[in-house]
Amino acid sequence: MVKLLLADDDSRLSELIKEYFNGEGYEVVHAWNGREAIELMAQTSPDVVILDVMMPELDGFETLKQIRVKSKIPVIMLTAKGDDIDRILGLEMGADDYLSKPFNPRELLARIKAILRRSSNEKSDDSTDDMELDGLLLRRKDRSVFLEGELIELTTSEYTLLECMLSLPGQVLTKQELSEKALGRKLTLYDRSLDMHISNLRKKIGLLPDGEPRIKTVRGVGYIFVEHGKGNSLL
């Protein structure tokens, strides 16, 4: 049984989520605040964490920060409707996805299934081939990434994005393709998750030896992973 850790001080919403997900065959462990969530995470070993941004004692951001020190577990943030700042901060700090309140539990279920599906595919993939390009090394066996020999800490979404792009260097990948492959869902209007994950990834993997970014934007289309010394007419 898949176990979810839900951290939210909204009793009505929490009961609704617990009832819905229990009916779908999921186990839900509930925490009323971030501090309790940290404790329960160590005790219960959940598969996915759902964090509300606004919580007493320890808010969602600080909770996420502490989680990321010890774990790469998938984290979905619950934010206030229309609050882009919270969404951006959450993704910058290592959240894998977010949902704006109020939301349909079916949408949360779809997001969780997408994350678990990616995780399942990664575990069942018996490929152990390393991927290396311009000082960047991706090891599939243990899902680790190194830049010039130094380990880079990536979230689940960032790693999957990098693997997708690194497997097709020099080729333009549309936002729709990347969203479906790396985030497990179709791109929707006003969804900036993909752009934020790309932005975070750019910061972590650095520049090419000539000072150019490794990932470039193809305006109106998507992104391209650039190989050093190989030009592209679309850039």
Side-chain angles (χ1 to χ4, degrees):
M1 180 180 290
V2 175
K3 185 181 296 182
L4 310 178
L5 172 57
L6 169 66
D8 196 316
D9 63 330
D10 185 329
S11 58
R12 184 176 179 182
L13 177 62
S14 298
E15 284 302 317
L16 174 64
I17 292 176
K18 286 172 65 176
E19 182 179 350
Y20 180 82
F21 277 88
N22 286 162
E24 293 292 328
Y26 290 70
E27 179 183 351
V28 180
V29 179
H30 180 234
W32 290 103
N33 56 62
R35 198 174 305 283
E36 186 179 356
I38 296 296
E39 295 174 357
L40 286 175
M41 184 174 166
Q43 296 171 10
T44 63
S45 301
D47 300 290
V48 180
V49 176
I50 305 165
L51 290 178
D52 183 33
V53 170
M54 299 299 294
M55 292 188 293
E57 294 192 38
L58 206 64
D59 66 21
F61 297 132
E62 185 59 34
T63 305
L64 174 62
K65 184 178 179 181
Q66 293 192 25
I67 288 175
R68 282 290 172 255
V69 171
K70 301 179 179 180
S71 174
K72 295 181 180 180
I73 186 173
V75 174
I76 297 176
M77 304 290 288
L78 303 181
T79 68
K81 185 177 181 180
D83 198 335
D84 292 336
I85 299 301
D86 283 352
R87 300 174 190 173
I88 291 171
L89 282 175
L91 293 172
E92 285 182 339
M93 294 176 68
D96 291 274
D97 207 346
Y98 67 82
L99 266 181
S100 299
K101 291 182 175 181
F103 58 85
N104 190 314
R106 289 184 180 180
E107 177 63 17
L108 179 58
L109 176 61
R111 300 291 180 95
I112 291 172
K113 282 185 175 180
I115 288 177
L116 294 175
R117 189 161 51 243
R118 295 201 307 271
S119 177
S120 176
N121 290 340
E122 289 158 3
K123 291 177 181 178
S124 63
D125 184 2
D126 59 3
S127 173
T128 57
D129 294 338
D130 290 347
M131 303 172 71
E132 188 169 9
L133 184 67
D134 298 324
L136 192 64
L137 171 65
L138 183 148
R139 293 199 318 206
R140 284 174 165 164
K141 185 175 182 179
D142 57 7
R143 303 186 70 250
S144 59
V145 177
F146 297 83
L147 177 62
E148 302 296 348
E150 294 292 327
L151 178 66
I152 304 175
E153 294 292 343
L154 300 181
T155 65
T156 299
S157 298
E158 290 166 357
Y159 174 89
T160 309
L161 268 174
L162 180 60
E163 186 177 34
C164 287
M165 302 188 79
L166 199 55
S167 65
L168 296 168
Q171 294 188 38
V172 178
L173 296 173
T174 68
K175 288 187 176 183
Q176 188 65 258
E177 287 178 299
L178 288 171
S179 183
E180 291 181 6
K181 291 180 179 179
L183 303 184
R185 65 175 188 271
K186 291 184 177 181
L187 192 67
T188 57
L189 194 62
Y190 306 123
D191 187 350
R192 295 297 307 278
S193 299
L194 177 66
D195 296 328
M196 286 305 306
H197 287 311
I198 290 289
S199 176
N200 294 338
L201 190 54
R202 278 173 169 155
K203 295 173 184 176
K204 292 182 178 182
I205 63 177
L207 304 174
L208 287 166
D210 60 5
E212 291 295 312
R214 295 175 188 270
I215 301 174
K216 288 192 175 182
T217 302
V218 181
R219 190 174 298 277
V221 182
Y223 298 97
I224 183 171
F225 199 90
V226 181
E227 292 184 81
H228 180 52
K230 293 189 179 183
N232 192 298
S233 59
L234 292 174
L235 302 180

